[in-house]
């Protein structure tokens, strides 16, 4: 045993890609995936994949999607607030 923590013991917020947080914030600020993708100079499918990867890493849905709308889940709201704090510290 090397003393290295098991992957399941690591806080998922410590292994999130900052780009994924930036993407999540853009979706919320732009009120949609299409506008956020344009702002970030990404395709909409690439942005959707980024958010899905973030959700997969955290093991929870952040955004409830329909064909026309989306809304943050309660956990998604917590993540967005933490992402804004992280983003402000990186600037």
């Amino acid at each position: 045993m090397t003393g290295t923590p098991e992957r399941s013991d690591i806080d998922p917020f410590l292994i999130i890609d900052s780009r994924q947080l930036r993407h999540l914030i853009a979706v919320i600020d732009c009120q949609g995936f299409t506008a956020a993708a344009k702002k970030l100079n990404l395709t909409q499918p690439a942005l959707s994949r980024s958010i899905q990867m973030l959700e997969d890493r955290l093991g929870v849905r952040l955004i409830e999607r329909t064909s026309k709308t989306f809304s943050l889940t309660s956990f998604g709201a917590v993540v967005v607030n933490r992402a804004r704090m992280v983003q402000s510290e990186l600037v």
Side-chain angles (χ1 to χ4, degrees):
M1 184 175 239
T2 63
T4 304
E6 295 293 321
R7 183 146 178 109
S8 62
D9 295 338
I10 298 173
D11 182 348
F13 282 100
L14 297 177
I15 55 174
I16 294 173
D17 186 330
S18 63
R19 287 175 296 174
Q20 292 171 327
L21 296 178
R22 194 169 63 247
H23 294 169
L24 179 62
I25 291 169
V27 169
I28 301 311
D29 289 349
C30 294
Q31 301 179 359
F33 283 81
T34 302
K38 185 173 181 178
K39 176 182 178 182
L40 294 166
N41 199 29
L42 295 172
T43 65
Q44 188 275 327
L47 179 58
S48 291
R49 276 192 306 276
S50 176
I51 299 299
Q52 182 64 52
M53 288 171 51
L54 178 59
E55 291 175 329
D56 290 347
R57 176 156 288 166
L58 294 174
V60 67
R61 175 135 341 255
L62 302 174
I63 298 174
E64 291 295 334
R65 303 160 182 87
T66 68
S67 60
K68 299 283 184 194
T69 64
F70 77 94
S71 61
L72 279 174
T73 64
S74 57
F75 193 81
V78 170
V79 173
V80 167
N81 287 337
R82 286 192 68 181
R84 289 188 192 285
M85 289 188 316
V86 167
Q87 189 178 44
S88 70
E89 290 177 7
L90 292 175
V91 175

